Amino acid sequence: MNKVEAIVLRTVDYGETHKILTLYSAQMGKIAALARGAKKPRSDLAAVCQPFTYGTFLLYIGERQGMGTISQAEVLDSFRAIREDLFKAAYASYVAELTDRFCADREPSPSLFLLLQTVLHYLTDEDKDPEVLVRLYETKMLDLAGIRPELYHCAHCFRPVETSIRFSILHGGPLCGACHQSDERAVWMKPVTLKLMQTFQGMDVRRLGQTRVGDDVKRQLNKILRQYLDEYSGVQFRSRGFLDQLHKYEI
Ligand SMILES: [Zn+2]
């Protein structure tokens, strides 16, 4: 038996009454686990098998390193405030999907666990801008995926950039003043947008204070990070569509 602290990234129904959970745990990293009977409302596991729930799980894991089976579990934090808010739930789904897609099975990372836990916690905090949190998380995921952009040198001539007005997806980084025409599809950005991206790369998420980022900067960050992720990760994110729909109709 293994006792792990974990966050539920995803749940999939299995048969009439069971669920298969994708957990991200502090001790074992990402792991799949079968929750028998968890779809029954009166099951002891029903509450803990909800997306984004943080709990302790007692897992039986066979020798063949396959899926674990949950024998007992206990909720430590249900993050109910996230599930009850359409926007927060959409952001959290995207954070969970990023984690799921970029983490290999059974590769523990205590720092990533702490990051995920902190971001979910901050999503429930009205002082923290969820969009900024998600951009910060995306930046951290680029590191994990091994596609961290170089933000301190021009992506075309490699000289240090003090300030940059465009970001080139093609070259994979900011362009200096002399090179900004080297990629006609490069995205325009304010100097503060690049500064923010640089800050995100080195930032301990727990130190994120109250965030006030202008809408234009948020739009630029979204555009740059999305295009960059699409180009270099090759992953199609299911949860993004829902997030886009919400913003489109401003529910
Ligand atoms: Zn240059």
Side-chain angles (χ1 to χ4, degrees):
M1 284 287 181
N2 291 267
K3 190 178 181 181
V4 296
E5 271 182 50
I7 288 162
V8 179
L9 297 179
R10 201 154 75 94
T11 74
V12 177
D13 290 347
Y14 181 66
E16 291 284 298
T17 58
H18 312 313
K19 280 185 177 182
I20 293 172
L21 271 53
T22 305
L23 300 172
Y24 192 76
S25 70
Q27 295 84 355
M28 301 180 76
K30 189 173 82 170
I31 185 164
L34 176 66
R36 290 186 192 278
K39 274 179 74 184
K40 293 180 190 164
R42 283 206 246 159
S43 160
D44 290 342
L45 295 178
V48 78
C49 292
Q50 302 293 323
F52 326 127
T53 298
Y54 167 45
T56 51
F57 295 82
L58 202 56
L59 300 174
Y60 172 77
I61 294 167
E63 282 176 16
R64 295 219 328 254
Q65 293 279 304
M67 193 187 302
T69 302
I70 300 169
S71 73
Q72 281 180 49
E74 189 185 342
V75 175
L76 295 174
D77 191 337
S78 69
F79 287 114
R80 186 186 290 173
I82 293 179
R83 281 199 305 279
E84 288 176 349
D85 180 305
L86 211 52
F87 268 100
K88 287 181 175 31
Y91 283 115
S93 296
Y94 181 49
V95 165
E97 190 181 3
L98 281 164
T99 316
D100 188 13
R101 296 295 191 95
F102 288 134
C103 291
D105 287 339
R106 310 228 182 155
E107 282 182 13
S109 164
S111 60
L112 179 62
F113 182 80
L114 186 65
L115 174 67
L116 174 64
Q117 193 183 14
T118 308
V119 166
L120 290 178
H121 181 65
Y122 281 180
L123 279 176
T124 67
D125 181 345
E126 297 302 325
D127 280 342
K128 306 278 193 286
D129 185 330
E131 218 180 318
V132 173
L133 276 173
V134 166
R135 299 289 91 83
L136 176 58
Y137 200 74
E138 282 176 333
T139 307
K140 300 293 188 191
M141 289 296 111
L142 296 178
D143 277 6
L144 190 74
I147 49 173
R148 177 189 175 108
E150 161 60 68
L151 297 177
Y152 293 88
H153 292 84
C154 171
H156 189 249
C157 73
F158 309 112
R159 289 195 193 95
V161 280
E162 286 302 316
T163 182
S164 162
I165 48 166
R166 296 182 89 183
F167 189 98
S168 167
I169 303 299
L170 179 70
H171 299 306
L175 299 174
C176 74
C179 299
H180 85 272
Q181 287 176 320
S182 65
D183 172 11
E184 61 180 26
R185 295 176 65 192
V187 183
W188 292 99
M189 64 176 173
K190 287 185 159 184
V192 66
T193 307
L194 179 64
K195 274 271 177 291
L196 211 51
M197 290 177 76
Q198 291 170 338
T199 307
F200 285 171
Q201 274 192 343
M203 187 179 200
D204 179 340
V205 72
R206 285 170 295 173
R207 289 170 60 190
L208 183 74
Q210 220 180 33
T211 46
R212 291 281 175 267
V213 178
D215 285 343
D216 49 348
V217 173
K218 284 197 278 191
R219 266 196 302 276
Q220 289 170 357
L221 281 174
N222 185 21
K223 194 170 177 183
I224 292 167
L225 282 166
R226 172 177 292 216
Q227 288 186 14
Y228 189 89
L229 267 169
D230 285 350
E231 182 69 25
Y232 294 100
S233 79
V235 175
Q236 293 278 323
F237 294 96
R238 291 182 301 265
S239 53
R240 248 192 209 159
F242 183 53
L243 208 49
D244 290 344
Q245 289 290 315
L246 283 181
H247 280 292
K248 199 166 159 188
Y249 298 109
E250 288 297 327
I251 291 170

